[in-house]
Amino acid sequence: MSKTDKKIRTAQPAAAEIIENMIGIETCFDRADKMKPCPIGHEGACCKNCYMGPCRLVGKNAEEEARGVCGATLPVVAARYMARMVAGGTAAHGDHGRDMVFTLLAVAEGHAKDFKVKDVKKLYRTADILAIEFEGRAVNDVAKDVATKLLEDFSRQRGEMNFVKRAPKKTQERWKKYGVMPRGLDRDTVEVVDRTTMGMDADADSILSAAVRCALANGWGGSMISTDVTDILFGTPMPIKAEASLGIFKEDEVNIVVHGHEPSLAEMIVEAVSEPELIAYAQTKGAKGINLGGMCCTANEVLMRHGIATAGGFTNQEPAIMTGLIDAFTVDVQCIIPAIVDVAKKFHTIVITSSDKVKIPGAVHIPFDEHIAKEQARKIVRMAIDNYPNRTKKGSHVTEKFPLIGGFSHEYIEYMQGGKWRGSFRPLNDAIMAGRVRGVVGLAGCDNPRWPSTSVHKFLATELIKNDVLIVSTGCSSAACGGSGYLTPEMALENAGPGLREVCEAIGIPPILHLGACVDNSRILTIASAMAAEGGLSDEIGGMPAVGIAPEFITEKAISIGVYFAASGVPCIFGGESPFKASKEVTRIMTEVWFERFKGALHFEPDPEKMLAMALDYIDKARENLKLKKYEPGKFGTEKVLMDMAARREIKAHTGL
Ligand code: SF4
Ligand code: MSK
């Protein structure tokens, strides 16, 4: 892109400035321009599941007449495509969860000396859910039993996954009734791949039901396991201050980035950068200190627990390197653009891969080993320090950054509504019932270079809170909101509707609560289940005035998340044309049929205004069905006082906020 090309690539001014200044360096935005999506694959009408194809099921009457060479119809081809996307997403989150459990097991068995169980209470709560005795036992013995029991969720062949019992009874009954109760993550994922090979399942609804089961194995299995075990190992988040945007890098310090999803190595790097010996070593190279920043979901993990600043989401990877300020760019798994190595070559940045599942030619590979994790972290920090003197004047430095508050675990959200002794979801339910809070939206998912990146997140975030909708955000949506200055309590004062503003002021929270990484969408499932259990709204997740939105989704993981939310009872709206649009039947199943069965649905909508209208409509209809007070801005029904002064003082003392 040249300086004269004014096409808007991103709604984040810092990233836009860098891209505009760095003429001649190709980014995902340029590649998105050059690489137009294939119009047939884009709508789900192409099958290449065997070598008689690829078959393109196009034409005016494709739904009724078109067949692949094997005879597969368009709904079957589109359903298979959707199901395989779900399997891909579930595999990614599943492996993430599995790796966290292996780390917990290694800690419990004494092989991973650099880690320990940081949140013993959460370990005990998890043990309790798993019916594991914990009273009077050594922490590591309990941890070993918890890890062993959770590993069963991957290998189980029959029965039900452990955490499905955390869902409301009615939600579970729906899964049983429609035969989608998840059994084991590996089995349910393999079965989707099996069913969708040539000559197997030829019924679109049946294929999509297998996809639902596989997605539920992600939400109530892989992702939930990952969230809980990560909290057990590294601490359950509570509100914490941090900063966001590409201006977080420092000209006079060694800058290191941790990027990806699995935070085990990143946790060790967080510790290593504070070691006096390494700081002193950095000073011998002329740097004032060591500065750590995050990217994508590894960023969310270390931000939630340590207040490490985030450089942004998916599309900020290349612009971050183009600042010329990054001395080491460490990546673990998922959402890593291979092209970062090409960009890094134009600067002095070393890219370090740390998972044997992710190798990129041109990067230095240091495979993570939990047995020597701290040593590896120190090695990486030293490499970054040694690289600092190689920094040149090349690059486009920016200064824009925003303060934010993150760290809203579901435990803290419960706690903030009443303090240590009276924490509950009653105040939130009451606020919804009274119409102060119109509803809740989970704003999640990626930022996509095919939009002006992050623009749809920003539009929806501002419009939803203006409409008194409380937002819980995860993944790159949190980075988009944080990098726009939206994750502060002041955002409520300036931009929220009158009811939401009152609630945020009473508790001292932002109107957009940063819940964590992509796997932490499981926290939303836990919150929704707690709200159902609290009473006064729906007695299941379905029917709540709640919607999930992934405005700029990219990944298979996002599709898997959308499906598990839909099957859990949350209507979801994804931004963009439907990847399965070619089949009216598949569209009907994902919307009407799933709504009838689960009270959730999966919609795709390319127009941001329509996405907003659809979300508000779902919320208002749910309110009407629950016979709640009709939402009218500024006019509330009666409700209990959210918190008294004593409870507020308790929270203040607890968090320093
Ligand atoms: Fe074509 Fe059927 Fe093979 Fe798909 S499985 S490529 S539709 S012949
Ligand atoms: S990192 S899955 S681009 S949200 Fe979780 Fe962001 Fe999407 Fe990756």
Side-chain angles (χ1 to χ4, degrees):
M1 179 185 172
S2 77
K3 260 193 168 174
T4 50
D5 182 352
K6 287 292 178 202
K7 184 170 177 191
I8 298 169
R9 308 307 191 113
T10 162
Q12 309 253 315
E17 189 186 325
I18 293 169
I19 294 162
E20 203 170 313
N21 283 333
M22 291 282 98
I23 305 162
I25 299 183
E26 191 185 79
T27 65
C28 59
F29 298 100
D30 303 302
R31 293 187 293 274
D33 283 349
K34 278 197 257 172
M35 180 67 69
K36 297 290 170 219
C38 160
I40 299 163
H42 192 52
E43 300 192 349
C46 171
C47 177
K48 52 188 179 76
N49 289 11
C50 89
Y51 203 49
M52 289 187 279
C55 299
R56 292 161 297 165
L57 277 65
V58 291
K60 247 189 172 175
N61 302 314
E63 188 91 27
E64 294 81 35
E65 294 163 7
R67 296 279 186 279
V69 176
C70 67
T73 61
L74 182 54
V76 168
V77 165
R80 289 199 298 214
Y81 176 43
M82 139 74 103
R84 286 194 165 201
M85 287 189 92
V86 169
T90 300
H93 281 160
D95 255 10
H96 179 165
R98 189 194 326 259
D99 284 346
M100 296 314 300
V101 179
F102 279 140
T103 302
L104 180 64
L105 189 61
V107 171
E109 290 177 342
H111 308 310
K113 299 279 184 214
D114 298 325
F115 299 99
K116 65 171 189 184
V117 169
K118 277 207 182 139
D119 191 337
V120 176
K121 274 191 196 153
K122 179 124 188 185
L123 172 72
Y124 290 167
R125 276 200 301 278
T126 310
D128 198 31
I129 294 167
L130 296 171
I132 291 168
E133 189 53 60
F134 58 89
E135 303 265 8
R137 297 182 65 205
V139 168
N140 277 354
D141 290 348
V142 179
K144 186 173 176 179
D145 286 355
V146 165
T148 308
K149 185 96 179 156
L150 289 176
L151 281 177
E152 288 171 7
D153 275 335
F154 298 90
S155 59
R156 184 181 302 99
Q157 306 302 317
R158 294 193 180 84
E160 294 176 6
M161 291 183 83
N162 279 309
F163 285 163
V164 289
K165 56 173 170 264
R166 290 163 74 168
K169 279 260 161 338
K170 260 192 157 175
T171 307
Q172 294 181 48
E173 277 159 20
R174 288 179 186 274
W175 298 337
K176 277 186 200 144
K177 179 169 174 193
Y178 293 106
V180 295
M181 186 62 93
R183 300 163 294 192
L185 189 137
D186 293 354
R187 174 163 189 197
D188 290 332
T189 306
V190 167
E191 187 174 308
V192 164
V193 181
D194 175 22
R195 266 176 195 256
T196 52
T197 53
M198 195 277 289
M200 286 291 288
D201 203 343
D203 178 323
D205 188 24
S206 164
I207 293 167
L208 291 176
S209 289
V212 164
R213 181 160 56 191
C214 179
L216 288 171
N218 174 2
W220 297 86
S223 287
M224 199 170 273
I225 289 170
S226 176
T227 296
D228 283 358
V229 173
T230 309
D231 285 353
I232 289 169
L233 281 170
F234 306 135
T236 301
M238 58 173 70
I240 192 161
K241 288 178 185 165
E243 289 179 327
S245 191
L246 290 162
I248 62 163
F249 301 117
K250 298 185 179 159
E251 305 217 13
D252 52 2
E253 292 193 19
V254 173
N255 291 305
I256 302 172
V257 167
V258 285
H259 169 34
H261 280 75
E262 286 179 23
S264 300
L265 177 61
E267 279 283 328
M268 289 295 106
I269 295 178
V270 170
E271 288 182 16
V273 295
S274 304
E275 289 183 0
E277 192 196 320
L278 285 171
I279 294 171
Y281 185 52
Q283 286 162 350
T284 66
K285 302 284 177 179
K288 281 196 176 147
I290 311 167
N291 178 42
L292 183 63
M295 194 106 235
C296 282
C297 279
T298 301
N300 288 324
E301 300 277 7
V302 291
L303 184 155
M304 293 280 284
R305 298 186 179 86
H306 305 285
I308 301 294
T310 175
F314 184 80
T315 57
N316 270 11
Q317 297 174 57
E318 290 158 298
I321 296 175
M322 286 152 69
T323 61
L325 294 173
I326 299 175
D327 304 299
F329 196 90
T330 310
V331 304
D332 49 84
V333 294
Q334 301 173 23
C335 300
I336 298 146
I337 298 183
I340 49 172
V341 170
D342 302 323
V343 179
K345 273 186 204 146
K346 300 204 163 27
F347 300 89
H348 76 301
T349 307
I350 306 171
V351 176
I352 300 164
T353 48
S354 64
S355 165
D356 273 341
K357 285 178 264 184
V358 181
K359 291 185 183 170
I360 309 175
V364 177
H365 190 59
I366 304 177
F368 173 66
D369 178 350
E370 63 245 16
H371 304 94
I372 50 164
K374 183 61 89 50
E375 199 183 309
Q376 288 184 312
R378 288 188 186 122
K379 181 175 173 184
I380 288 167
V381 174
R382 260 190 229 102
M383 282 170 72
I385 295 171
D386 288 337
N387 196 27
Y388 176 77
N390 297 328
R391 220 189 261 178
T392 65
K393 295 246 176 282
K394 275 198 275 175
S396 179
H397 307 181
V398 289
T399 52
E400 184 191 65
K401 59 180 176 179
F402 298 93
L404 66 85
I405 293 176
F408 291 92
S409 55
H410 49 270
E411 286 88 347
Y412 185 82
I413 292 176
E414 184 173 20
Y415 170 79
M416 78 187 187
Q417 297 180 72
K420 201 165 167 184
W421 308 111
R422 292 172 295 128
S424 79
F425 279 84
R426 190 72 259 147
L428 178 58
N429 282 18
D430 284 343
I432 292 172
M433 288 161 72
R436 268 188 172 71
V437 172
R438 185 172 182 174
V440 181
V441 159
L443 195 60
C446 329
D447 51 307
N448 188 329
R450 293 201 182 276
W451 295 93
S453 157
T454 71
S455 63
V456 199
H457 292 277
K458 289 174 77 169
F459 167 75
L460 288 170
T462 45
E463 290 304 313
L464 287 165
I465 64 167
K466 203 188 288 174
N467 279 282
D468 289 306
V469 174
L470 177 70
I471 296 177
V472 286
S473 76
T474 59
C476 289
S477 190
S478 290
C481 292
S484 309
Y486 292 179
L487 299 183
T488 61
E490 293 72 39
M491 184 68 179
L493 298 180
E494 289 156 21
N495 295 288
L500 179 61
R501 188 167 59 225
E502 230 181 86
V503 172
C504 291
E505 278 179 325
I507 312 180
I509 53 166
I512 304 170
L513 303 179
H514 183 345
L515 258 57
C518 292
V519 289
D520 294 326
N521 280 306
S522 70
R523 296 194 202 274
I524 302 178
L525 298 177
T526 308
I527 291 168
S529 302
M531 287 168 73
E534 191 63 54
L537 297 171
S538 175
D539 57 357
E540 59 179 322
I541 298 176
M544 292 276 184
V547 173
I549 310 181
E552 301 178 24
F553 89 99
I554 301 175
T555 63
E556 292 169 322
K557 290 178 285 175
I559 297 290
S560 180
I561 293 166
V563 174
Y564 76 62
F565 268 113
S568 300
V570 182
C572 290
I573 304 160
F574 275 40
E577 294 289 356
S578 168
F580 322 109
K581 180 177 156 188
S583 170
K584 291 190 190 78
E585 177 61 1
V586 166
T587 306
R588 187 184 74 83
I589 295 169
M590 292 187 317
T591 53
E592 295 166 33
V593 174
W594 286 358
F595 194 77
E596 216 178 286
R597 289 179 189 164
F598 310 117
K599 292 199 169 185
L602 184 54
H603 299 273
F604 293 86
E605 173 53 61
D607 180 341
E609 298 270 3
K610 288 186 184 160
M611 289 166 72
L612 173 69
M614 196 190 290
L616 293 177
D617 190 48
Y618 261 121
I619 286 172
D620 288 344
K621 284 211 175 96
R623 294 187 65 88
E624 202 183 313
N625 291 340
L626 292 168
K627 306 203 179 344
L628 302 182
K629 184 187 170 299
K630 191 172 183 317
Y631 166 78
E632 291 172 286
K635 292 188 188 161
F636 320 123
T638 48
E639 64 182 303
K640 289 173 194 164
V641 177
L642 273 168
M643 299 177 70
D644 60 18
M645 278 314 292
R648 242 176 276 165
R649 266 196 297 271
E650 189 188 341
I651 284 182
K652 206 165 174 181
H654 186 67
T655 63
L657 289 173

